[in-house]
Amino acid sequence: MTDRTAELEPPAIPAQPKPPGPLKEFWNSFKENRGAVIGLCIFAAFLFIAIFAPWIAPYDASEQFRDALLQPPAWQEGGSWQFPLGTDPLGRDMLSRLLHGARFSFFIGIIVVSLSLVTGVVIGVIAGFSPKWADTLIMRVMDIILSFPSLLLALVLVAILGPSLINAMIAIAVVLQPHFVRLTRAAVMSERARDYVTAAKVAGAGRFRIMFLTVLPNCLAPIIVQAALSFSTAVLDAAALGFLGMGAQPPTPEWGTMLAEAREFLLRAWWVVTLPGVCILVTVLAINLMGDGLRDALDPKLKRS
Amino acid sequence: MSQPILKAEGLKRHYELKGGMFSSDATVRALDGASFELTPGRTLAVVGESGCGKSTLARVVTMIEPPTEGTLTIEGRKIEPDSVAKDPDLRAKVQIVFQDPYGSLNPRQTIGKTLMEPLKINRPDVSAKEREQRARDMLQMVGLRPEHFERYPHMFSGGQRQRVAVARALMLDPKILVLDEPVSALDLSIQSQILNLLVELQDRLDLAYLFVSHDLSVVRHFCDDLLVMYLGKPVEQGPKDEVFDAPRHPYTKALLSATPQADPRRKRQRIKLQGELPSPMNVPPGCPFNPRCWKATEECRTVVPQLEGGDHRFACFHPLEPGEVPEPKTAEAV
């Protein structure tokens, strides 16, 4: 808070160094959290893999090698460097499948989060600004959605819509969206009573402008954090739905679906089951670490004690 | 003297409180009949204890809330609840500066954007380039440096923020500026800077000020006319010197006696009022001040006194005569 003294200093002082921008400030407090930086690095690596999977992967994800069924990873007896992470029961290269799987996980995460974020934030802002009866109506509907266990509700929705990756994503988005509504509404309600909103009203700002240009940007910090954490929930839920046969359908190299396909080989070929599981674990962990760091950096009220 | 630009007659603002399951509905008479005029180049100060309806008055005059009763006339035009929506020019006539400079600026907007926003909304014909030029000129006019244009509110001190708030209020060239306790959140040294700025701006732009405050020493230096409020009702109203030198309403007298003085050797007669400020949900019958007044009679408890008099008006059946000393049993020298 060195700027507090600015009023007292003589105007003759040459231009001070430009104060750090909001982005720089955010980065400074973000990098204090080592776990968050590690999470960010892993996340970036996965993002890279997801984008360039077809070029990095040695083989196509569904290419079968009939003479190398269930071959163990290279460092184990019987493995070869032709398939560094071994092959699955149908003779497909595990490494290639896992690399392609990263694509699906990110695709799911991004679509689900943006879908639930946009609808959730819009509904939340409307609820925060609407008269009491409409607000109550919206929030009770959200409470009903929240009262079901999320995976169970997603399962029901998929059962209605039919099992496919797209339907699974829609189901997960519907399940995640009430969290955004609640968060946004709470933030909007505390912000809209402040004087700068009244000032904007006095300046003649319309309803829409106040809702989305004045108030919403000031509510973004908790929403960004929630989005980051929802990303991991989405990845996890999609994997779970895939495992239950309600998500992506074989032969899609989706991590959860891969787990389900390989279940029966758990004792005979550990790599077929473990590796997709490890991928899910590492991704979710990295995103959660990153989300915690985001929260610390963006929302001083929630700082770790 | 020039013509008044704003006339308020019997302004009232009541809030209906919905009772819960076990309590009945209630009406809060936050503002209960205020009449006054604002003239370009002059300042009307509204003073009173907290909760007496000062800020409600400010909000009604700024057309943030419609009055429950009474009329507001600006430049001869009567204000209806939907006038502002119909005519954006009207909105530009009255602007407001809030008390808390930490809450009144959007933390996500640079100072430049905050200043340009009113123009962007209300004057779409002004080009982006001119908009920026006007904002930069305004920044200079309120005594800030050009490099402040790009900065965010959290980089400023309270006094600088209040300058920005004044600048924003002036962007639309208003005729009337409502100042809702503009300096009470600031340090004493900064207070005087802001007050000087306001005086200077009033001279230059011929603004009419409605100055809401509870700080009588500030009011004494700043205003031309004074309106003393108690529980939503004006109790005394008149030119500053007359009210300060010869208060007629006992409440005004008590309020004035509570002003701190810089001279510790001077004995002063501080009137200590008995009892609590009644809730505006439950205003006593008759004169609202009667439970705490040392001159109250039966008449005061039953009949509501009206504001009477010429320039210097007061609502009291037993006004103080000039030089009258309050009865010793309730007055104590402090």
Side-chain angles (χ1 to χ4, degrees), chain A residues 4-23:
Chain A
R4 288 282 174 85
T5 54
E7 229 164 26
L8 296 175
E9 63 192 26
I13 285 182
Q16 315 141 313
K18 217 172 164 354
L23 214 64

Side-chain angles (χ1 to χ4, degrees), chain B residues 127-145:
Chain B
S127 71
K129 208 172 160 198
E130 200 196 329
R131 202 153 57 207
E132 189 179 330
Q133 191 52 46
R134 282 205 210 170
R136 286 185 185 276
D137 291 347
M138 187 57 76
L139 209 60
Q140 203 180 5
M141 190 146 92
V142 297
L144 292 170
R145 293 200 296 271

Side-chain angles (χ1 to χ4, degrees), chain B residues 284-291 293 295-306 308 315-319:
Chain B
C287 172
F289 188 55
N290 79 67
C293 184
K295 299 185 84 170
T297 58
E298 200 46 47
E299 189 186 16
C300 299
R301 293 188 188 98
T302 45
V303 187
V304 183
Q306 297 301 318
E308 276 161 4
C316 187
F317 296 122
H318 312 289

Side-chain angles (χ1 to χ4, degrees), chain A:
Chain A
M1 286 276 108
T2 49
D3 286 288
R4 288 282 174 85
T5 54
E7 229 164 26
L8 296 175
E9 63 192 26
I13 285 182
Q16 315 141 313
K18 217 172 164 354
L23 214 64
K24 176 96 183 163
E25 213 169 277
F26 160 74
W27 176 243
N28 281 343
S29 57
F30 184 80
K31 75 180 177 196
E32 267 172 35
N33 187 336
R34 199 187 301 161
V37 177
I38 295 173
L40 182 70
C41 292
I42 298 175
F43 185 79
F46 268 100
L47 187 66
F48 177 81
I49 291 171
I51 293 171
F52 296 103
W55 293 277
I56 306 172
Y59 309 105
D60 190 77
S62 48
E63 193 181 346
Q64 290 183 320
F65 298 91
R66 299 283 174 135
D67 46 353
L69 302 180
L70 281 181
Q71 189 175 332
W75 61 87
Q76 262 201 331
E77 207 180 320
S80 81
W81 281 105
Q82 193 193 351
F83 307 110
L85 295 180
T87 58
D88 73 355
L90 298 175
R92 295 172 295 195
D93 179 38
M94 283 299 289
L95 179 65
S96 305
R97 283 180 71 73
L98 290 175
L99 292 178
H100 278 94
R103 267 197 148 182
F104 283 95
S105 288
F106 272 87
F107 178 63
I108 291 164
I110 287 167
I111 299 286
V112 167
V113 168
S114 30
L115 210 64
S116 52
L117 181 83
V118 172
T119 53
V121 165
V122 170
I123 296 176
V125 171
I126 291 172
F129 273 94
S130 51
K132 203 168 168 223
W133 64 267
D135 176 40
T136 311
L137 187 74
I138 293 174
M139 292 324 288
R140 290 303 83 78
V141 171
M142 295 304 144
D143 283 349
I144 291 170
I145 299 178
L146 280 174
S147 67
F148 290 101
S150 64
L151 199 60
L152 192 67
L153 184 61
L155 265 177
V156 170
L157 285 170
V158 173
I160 296 168
L161 296 169
S164 81
L165 189 60
I166 300 290
N167 289 345
M169 289 196 298
I170 294 173
I172 298 167
V174 169
V175 169
L176 289 182
Q177 166 261 5
H179 297 278
F180 286 99
V181 176
R182 279 195 158 183
L183 205 63
T184 313
R185 171 175 169 271
V188 163
M189 288 196 138
S190 71
E191 286 296 318
R192 66 178 271 209
R194 302 196 41 191
D195 277 344
Y196 71 87
V197 181
T198 317
K201 232 180 267 175
V202 173
R207 229 183 145 67
F208 185 81
R209 191 183 180 87
I210 287 179
M211 280 159 89
F212 292 98
L213 292 177
T214 309
V215 171
L216 186 58
N218 286 295
C219 305
L220 278 186
I223 297 173
I224 291 173
V225 176
Q226 178 70 28
L229 296 175
S230 295
F231 197 101
S232 69
T233 315
V235 170
L236 208 56
D237 279 1
L241 283 180
F243 182 76
L244 295 172
M246 293 299 214
Q249 297 301 305
T252 317
E254 202 269 326
W255 291 339
T257 315
M258 284 166 73
L259 273 180
E261 279 176 66
R263 205 172 35 202
E264 48 198 294
F265 303 97
L266 183 60
L267 292 175
R268 237 172 68 201
W270 61 267
W271 58 92
V272 202
V273 191
T274 312
L275 293 176
V278 169
C279 283
I280 296 172
L281 175 80
V282 172
T283 317
V284 170
L285 192 65
I287 295 170
N288 280 347
L289 281 175
M290 195 179 70
D292 275 348
L294 272 180
R295 180 175 58 201
D296 289 354
L298 287 176
D299 205 338
K301 275 175 283 184
L302 295 173
K303 273 230 193 299
R304 294 171 308 165
S305 45

